[in-house]
Amino acid sequence: MKEMKVDAIRNGTVIDHIPAGKAWEVAEILKIHQAPLLVGVNLISRKYGRKDLIKIEDHELSSREASSIALIAPQASISIIREYEITQKVPVTIPDEITALIVCPNPACVTNAEPVPTRFTTGGATTENEVRVRCVYCEKRYRMTDVKLRLQP
Amino acid sequence: MKNLISMRDLTREETLRILELAQEIEGGKTRPDLSGRLAALLFYEPSTRTHFSFDTAMKRLGGQTLSMSGSGSTSVQKGESLADTLKTISMYSDLIVIRSPVEGAARYAAEVVDIPIINAGDGANQHPTQALLDLYSIRKTQGTLEGLSVALVGDLKFGRTAHSLVQALAGFRPTFTFVSPEHLVMPQYILEDLDAAGVTYHHQTTLDGVTPGLDVMYVTRIQRERFADPEEYEQVKDSYVIDREILSDAKPTLRVMHPLPRVKEVSTEVDGTEHAYYFQQARNGVPIRQALLALLLGAAS
Ligand SMILES: [Zn+2]
């Protein structure tokens, strides 16, 4: 039988070039799936110095899921693996609306008072190197780097 | 238009239609019939003026109201979810007017029930009926909303009415002068919206030279609690008082507006001048709210 490297996956998704230290946040988003995750942190990258990396077994990320990863790691690259081969690159694009993921930092916001999933829009509020989001409810705007993420039921 | 939640939702055409209908109602040209219709006025924080204004608007068109008011501690914090309260009230009424210290409460309400929702103020966020009555007042006194020179004076950082008015006017090519203490300036996100809309504005910390050429002076209250140092408050408070002296080089058509209640920001000596408009402004809330109730209840188009 052919020997495998421990981090090679047969089928699934590889998320590469995650900024060092951001892997846990990305993994948090991916917990929705029951799929096993392999998380590599502080790996050497020729391009970025240090980077994180995540492999997901037996789950191919949809473009919608890739979008939510774009919020945390816009420079990540996502590849779909089939039979150990990269078969497809999923574009990492910022979605127009993000549901049930961002915690609204505004303590007076209805999403912190009532059982309602948060909704944030990104449209027109994105500058080159930072993603900005606006709460649909309290209408406050935040930098992505200033908000916490938590998957909501 | 199914609800009125935020000025940010309204198109220019919708805004103008509301103002137009309000004018027709006020002028007696049209009288929408709301007889047999019931509006629930749900006030989670007290606001006598806004409550009276909606109550009057509904009743003068033949409709009826039921009121639930109290401090923020009544239903929400007693454990009944806002959703349950709203669903129950929607069984009895045709429309809900909601005021709440919780920001986004009206948006949420509109998602929970099928009947129309009017936001009568959600914390520091929006107060669209105030913004519309301000627009109505401006158009009524200036004959147009286009290309006006407007100064906003006072607490521009926390002043919700100032934010809404700026957003509401942005589409009408205004020139803004923002007059406020350094630590109460217009928030960055509003300025970014104005930049994106190509609106001209500038900021100053005193009233010096603000009056000539000005069409509207919109004054808001500076609250003591915004200052860490009480002495600084005393000093600032007195430097933003509109009096006859400041208005001495004003155009005859300049109008001074204020969302009321005022404390000292506008001297009572201004009350008798042609520039004073704050009391009429408050009265304009009724036709605006009549127009909104009629539109949302399908009694006007
Ligand atoms: Zn919010």
Side-chain angles (χ1 to χ4, degrees):
Chain A
M1 210 185 200
K2 200 172 113 189
E3 211 177 63
M4 261 190 285
K5 275 201 288 179
V6 72
D7 60 345
I9 55 168
R10 182 171 183 166
N11 294 304
T13 310
V14 173
I15 308 169
D16 202 353
H17 302 118
I18 302 168
K22 289 276 182 185
W24 304 116
E25 279 179 60
V26 174
E28 188 65 30
I29 295 183
L30 296 170
K31 270 196 207 154
I32 349 166
H33 314 293
Q34 298 302 308
L37 301 180
L38 297 167
V39 180
V41 293
N42 257 342
L43 309 177
I44 307 284
S45 154
R46 249 172 254 142
K47 239 169 149 183
Y48 300 103
R50 295 282 177 171
K51 67 171 186 183
D52 291 357
L53 179 143
I54 293 179
K55 300 188 178 192
I56 314 161
E57 272 188 69
D58 296 324
H59 177 78
E60 298 187 359
L61 276 199
S62 66
S63 51
R64 200 182 165 276
E65 290 160 337
S67 295
S68 44
I69 287 166
L71 291 171
I72 310 164
Q75 55 280 74
S77 62
I78 299 178
S79 310
I80 304 296
I81 311 290
R82 286 180 195 154
E83 292 299 327
Y84 304 108
E85 299 286 330
I86 294 177
T87 57
Q88 195 193 336
K89 291 265 182 189
V90 183
V92 179
T93 50
I94 310 240
D96 291 336
E97 185 168 317
I98 311 129
T99 310
L101 178 65
I102 299 171
V103 178
C104 185
N106 175 7
C109 180
V110 71
T111 60
N112 291 314
E114 299 289 328
V116 49
T118 63
R119 280 164 58 203
F120 281 79
T121 55
T122 55
T126 305
T127 62
E128 239 173 59
N129 39 23
E130 65 172 19
V131 180
R132 291 217 243 162
V133 292
R134 187 197 290 268
C135 175
V136 167
Y137 294 94
C138 72
E139 307 187 16
K140 298 273 178 302
R141 288 214 310 206
Y142 298 97
R143 293 185 183 87
M144 237 356 248
T145 46
D146 294 339
V147 299
K148 287 206 181 81
L149 302 180
R150 189 179 64 224
L151 283 170
Q152 296 151 32
Chain B
M1 196 173 74
K2 194 186 171 296
N3 306 291
L4 178 71
I5 308 299
S6 166
M7 287 308 286
R8 289 165 33 83
D9 300 338
L10 286 183
T11 64
R12 198 186 141 90
E13 286 66 39
E14 285 170 330
T15 303
L16 289 171
R17 178 61 198 130
I18 295 163
L19 303 185
E20 201 65 48
L21 182 60
Q23 193 183 357
E24 288 167 19
I25 293 172
E26 191 178 17
K29 267 202 208 150
T30 175
R31 189 181 182 276
D33 182 11
L34 298 185
S35 57
R37 315 303 294 276
L38 184 67
L41 311 180
L42 186 53
F43 277 58
Y44 282 101
E45 69 182 0
S47 173
T48 316
R49 283 162 204 280
T50 308
H51 187 272
F52 276 5
S53 182
F54 272 109
D55 203 37
T56 307
M58 193 69 193
K59 287 171 178 166
R60 284 204 185 276
L61 294 179
Q64 289 173 294
T65 59
L66 62 87
S67 292
M68 201 207 92
S69 28
S71 70
S73 61
T74 38
S75 213
V76 175
Q77 282 161 18
K78 259 190 193 162
E80 185 179 37
S81 74
L82 178 61
D84 285 2
T85 307
L86 288 162
K87 280 178 192 156
T88 307
I89 289 175
S90 75
M91 301 293 148
Y92 309 120
S93 54
D94 302 304
L95 177 148
I96 295 174
V97 174
I98 179 169
R99 182 181 182 103
S100 168
V102 178
E103 297 172 22
R107 175 88 58 202
Y108 176 54
E111 292 173 352
V112 170
V113 298
D114 294 328
I115 60 173
I117 299 286
I118 295 180
N119 184 3
D122 60 332
N125 185 31
Q126 288 271 332
H127 191 4
T129 61
Q130 176 73 45
L132 286 165
L133 88 82
D134 290 340
L135 283 188
Y136 185 64
S137 302
I138 291 172
R139 202 178 73 142
K140 210 164 140 184
T141 57
Q142 306 297 324
T144 179
L145 290 176
E146 293 289 343
L148 296 173
S149 174
V150 179
L152 290 102
V153 182
D155 177 357
L156 305 185
K157 183 176 182 188
F158 300 99
R160 171 181 65 185
T161 52
H163 299 170
S164 300
L165 180 59
V166 164
Q167 287 173 336
L169 270 177
F172 297 94
R173 297 180 300 107
T175 304
F176 289 124
T177 306
F178 300 137
V179 186
S180 75
E182 212 53 76
H183 77 290
L184 293 176
V185 296
M186 196 58 86
Q188 193 56 33
Y189 73 93
I190 303 246
L191 299 182
E192 285 170 14
D193 287 348
L194 293 180
D195 289 336
V199 173
T200 313
Y201 61 86
H202 73 275
H203 169 78
Q204 57 188 65
T205 52
T206 69
L207 287 162
D208 293 347
V210 75
T211 326
L214 197 64
D215 298 304
V216 176
M217 185 179 290
Y218 194 94
V219 187
T220 61
R221 197 150 52 99
I222 295 182
Q223 289 168 294
R224 189 185 297 270
E225 55 265 34
R226 304 293 183 209
F227 289 81
D229 178 3
E231 255 176 57
E232 197 190 335
Y233 166 74
E234 292 302 323
Q235 187 197 336
V236 161
K237 179 190 69 168
D238 293 332
S239 53
Y240 295 89
V241 175
I242 312 300
D243 55 18
R244 278 177 186 260
E245 161 95 49
I246 280 164
L247 295 171
S248 60
D249 50 4
K251 295 203 286 194
T253 52
L254 173 111
R255 290 294 173 271
V256 177
M257 300 186 186
H258 190 299
L260 300 181
R262 73 170 155 179
V263 181
K264 264 181 162 176
E265 311 82 45
V266 183
S267 163
T268 48
E269 69 181 31
V270 177
D271 295 2
T273 71
E274 60 193 344
H275 303 300
Y277 194 72
Y278 20 93
F279 296 117
Q280 294 97 314
Q281 181 188 357
R283 205 172 54 205
N284 287 337
V286 174
I288 274 292
R289 292 182 174 108
Q290 285 176 313
L292 286 165
L293 290 164
L295 284 168
L296 293 175
L297 287 170
S301 57

